Amino acid sequence: MEHTQTPLLEVSDLSVSFRMYGSGLEQRQLPVISSLSLRVLPGEILAVAGSSGSGKSLLASAILGILPGNATVSGALQFDGEPLTPERQARLRGTEIALVPQSVAFLDPLMKVGAQADGHRKPRPTEARRALFRQLGLPEQTERLYPFQLSGGMARRVLVSTALLSEARLIIADEPTTALDVSVQAQIIELLKKLCEETGTAVILVTHDMGVIAETADRVAVMYAGRLAEIGPVE
């Protein structure tokens, strides 16, 4: 796949730490990401791999601007050539930059999943969403169910469909194929690849599944203990 050389997202010297309390009122900073730099090109799938606790999901949260209040962030983020400030993160989140969260708890327990996947977009993408549900093997009645009525795999597919319908230019997919059978994994992989090839959408695929990375990604960044250990073509 050919890519333009102007990055859609550029992360420069990113460091993240958390303010923690020890004995009494003693405070200390716990570093979780240190001096990390990477870039994501339009139409590219960049996999971010690493063991649990390596900082993969925290990197995603830093890009989206959804770190907890005790986080300290330094370095620079740019999206489409402009600084990705906290105000811009809030404005682009869910529109230009979409998340497939790792936890199905992101679904609103009081809202039927069809309406959640449609979101606040006008006109509502109901027919496109129904077609996507069918592609992902979700039964027709799924749209009328509440999250507690879904299996874990069904809920994860609903989250994937919500991000794909957003028409975002960058999708951050945090373990999108976890707990899914091989056939559904393949469907999600094909949808992501098709989206990138046809629309130029970029994907950051956060996963520890090297098989999924081999099938899906153009490049892979390997994280270890909050640092970027290696980055290069997936081959």
Side-chain angles (χ1 to χ4, degrees), residues 11-48:
V11 179
S12 304
D13 200 28
L14 177 70
S15 294
V16 178
S17 62
F18 290 117
R19 184 176 65 255
M20 310 292 288
Y21 287 91
S23 57
L25 296 177
E26 178 188 358
Q27 292 188 32
R28 62 188 179 91
Q29 292 289 331
L30 175 67
V32 290
I33 294 178
S34 302
S35 303
L36 187 148
S37 297
L38 55 79
R39 48 173 42 189
V40 186
L41 304 175
E44 176 181 38
I45 299 179
L46 174 69
V48 179

Side-chain angles (χ1 to χ4, degrees), residues 3 34 45 65 69 71 78 84 135 137 139 141 166 172 185 189 192 214 225:
H3 304 291
S34 302
I45 299 179
Q78 282 204 325
L84 194 55
Q135 277 187 277
Q141 68 270 22
S166 69
I172 302 175
Q185 281 190 12
I189 288 169
L192 290 175

Side-chain angles (χ1 to χ4, degrees), residues 56-112:
K56 306 187 302 297
S57 295
L58 288 171
L59 170 62
S61 295
I63 294 168
L64 288 157
I66 55 173
L67 288 166
N70 65 330
T72 300
V73 181
S74 65
L77 299 170
Q78 282 204 325
F79 182 78
D80 199 21
E82 296 182 22
L84 194 55
T85 61
E87 294 77 18
R88 193 162 180 241
Q89 286 171 321
R91 191 168 68 249
L92 298 183
R93 195 165 53 237
T95 55
E96 296 283 304
I97 305 174
L99 172 68
V100 180
Q102 184 174 357
S103 173
V104 297
F106 273 73
L107 290 170
D108 185 339
L110 303 178
M111 190 175 183
K112 292 179 180 179

Side-chain angles (χ1 to χ4, degrees), residues 107-128:
L107 290 170
D108 185 339
L110 303 178
M111 190 175 183
K112 292 179 180 179
V113 298
Q116 289 193 60
D118 286 346
H120 300 290
R121 291 175 287 278
K122 302 291 184 182
R124 296 176 72 83
T126 303
E127 290 308 316

Side-chain angles (χ1 to χ4, degrees), residues 112-114 129-130 133-134 137-146 149-150 154:
K112 292 179 180 179
V113 298
R129 187 257 304 149
R130 284 173 177 164
F133 272 20
R134 287 194 294 270
L138 291 168
E140 185 177 341
Q141 68 270 22
T142 302
E143 66 177 24
R144 299 187 292 274
L145 301 179
Y146 290 93
Q149 296 173 298
L150 305 179
M154 290 173 70

